[in-house]
Amino acid sequence: MAAPSQVIRSYGDVDGIRDNVVHLNPGAGGELVSSSIEFVGTGNVLHVEDGAKLRNTRLRFLGNDSVIHLRRSARYTEVVATLFHESVLYLGPGSSFTSAARFIPSERRHVIVGSDAMFSSRVAFRTADPHLVYSAHDHRRVNPSRSVWVGDHVWLGEDTLFLKGARVGSGSILGARAVVTKEIPSNTSAGGVPARVIGTDVFWTRPSVHAWTQDQTDRGASHPGDEFLFASDADTLDVDALEKELDRAATSAERAAWCERLDALTSKNRFCIGR
């Protein structure tokens, strides 16, 4: 018999959750607005950093032993996520959302997003196709599920879709309606279906120009800093090794501990690709 559904709609509901682990406190400035968290399975871990502001967020654990790890931002976090068995959704600190981003980590694969991500409207992630595709020659499956990794300070354009195996290096820009299926190096712009690199050696900053005066436009014609340029160095992480470590985790507690270790790996160039 399936486990009964348990739902959190306010901070006061947290104490009523059974057979799952929940860290969800308002902290300083935390909010839970028009949001819900549903547990159908057991052994899952939800960790929301104290002070995080959730709005229009719907988190669903429809299986067992999965982990959602959400870091705090000064802005509202807006996430719609469905997890099944033994998957991880990790969202780093400082993200912003124009509307709720959608995540479906499934078949024991994961979605990992670094810090300072800028989500435009209707961004979506999937780690599975999800239906089975086989070779007509040997009848072997040809579409295994794969995790999705996005580095730090990445601009995710409107309607961007990240499919299984997508990897994006820090500092990059994904154009509107891009479908990302492969590796995108750091400090590049990419777009199209499937997404391909269309610009190299670029970086972006957060100010929006929509309401700028001529004076602001003039002052924004150049940016003196290089804080958003990334380069591979001794602190750049081996993502394949990190994922193998995550795959070796046998329990949700071990997956949650992996997320906490990733929190501590804060070097600028940790998610640099190809520079």
Side-chain angles (χ1 to χ4, degrees):
M1 180 180 296
S5 175
Q6 304 177 77
V7 180
I8 297 172
R9 292 190 175 88
S10 69
Y11 293 112
D13 295 331
V14 171
D15 289 341
I17 299 301
R18 299 290 178 265
D19 302 318
N20 296 279
V21 176
V22 179
H23 179 96
L24 178 64
N25 303 307
E31 297 182 42
L32 188 61
V33 181
S34 301
S35 299
S36 65
I37 301 104
E38 179 182 10
F39 295 89
V40 175
T42 62
N44 300 290
V45 176
L46 171 67
H47 181 94
V48 178
E49 186 175 11
D50 292 356
K53 299 190 292 186
L54 304 187
R55 181 176 66 185
N56 300 329
T57 288
R58 185 184 182 196
L59 310 177
R60 297 191 301 163
F61 293 89
L62 300 187
N64 305 324
D65 302 311
S66 286
V67 175
I68 296 178
H69 189 94
L70 305 179
R71 298 289 305 279
R72 181 176 58 200
S73 174
R75 311 166 185 91
Y76 282 101
T77 295
E78 301 188 40
V79 169
V80 175
T82 301
L83 279 73
F84 297 89
H85 302 291
E86 302 175 17
S87 291
V88 170
L89 168 58
Y90 176 98
L91 178 63
S95 295
S96 64
F97 298 81
T98 302
S99 67
R102 297 181 177 271
F103 300 83
I104 307 180
S106 61
E107 202 179 14
R108 302 173 311 284
R109 298 296 91 199
H110 321 290
V111 176
I112 312 298
V113 180
S115 65
D116 193 32
M118 187 165 70
F119 290 82
S120 300
S121 301
R122 298 178 300 278
V123 176
F125 298 78
R126 302 179 70 100
T127 65
D129 283 336
H131 301 291
L132 301 169
V133 179
Y134 296 95
S135 166
H137 300 289
D138 61 11
H139 291 219
R140 295 181 65 85
R141 185 180 176 186
V142 297
N143 68 333
S145 297
R146 297 179 62 195
S147 298
V148 175
W149 290 73
V150 175
D152 299 320
H153 190 68
V154 173
W155 179 357
L156 299 82
E158 186 174 47
D159 290 310
T160 306
L161 176 60
F162 294 83
L163 297 180
K164 59 188 178 70
R167 289 186 180 180
V168 180
S170 297
S172 288
I173 303 164
L174 284 308
R177 298 177 179 83
V179 177
V180 188
T181 62
K182 297 181 180 180
E183 185 172 280
I184 303 297
S186 292
N187 291 116
T188 61
S189 58
V193 183
R196 61 180 181 84
V197 173
I198 56 179
T200 60
D201 297 319
V202 298
F203 67 93
W204 64 275
T205 62
R206 277 190 172 271
S208 173
V209 303
H210 286 314
W212 273 18
T213 64
Q214 183 62 54
D215 180 62
Q216 288 172 303
T217 296
D218 292 343
R219 285 188 282 111
S222 64
H223 180 82
D226 60 1
E227 66 270 32
F228 302 120
L229 290 173
F230 299 87
S232 296
D233 61 18
D235 293 323
T236 300
L237 301 173
D238 183 335
V239 168
D240 290 324
L242 279 172
E243 182 147 356
K244 288 179 181 177
E245 180 185 331
L246 182 52
D247 288 342
R248 288 194 295 269
T251 66
S252 58
E254 292 177 358
R255 295 181 190 98
W258 181 94
C259 292
E260 292 175 1
R261 289 193 295 274
L262 188 57
D263 285 345
L265 299 173
T266 58
S267 62
K268 175 183 177 181
N269 295 309
R270 60 178 183 164
F271 290 129
C272 183
I273 294 177
R275 283 177 57 86

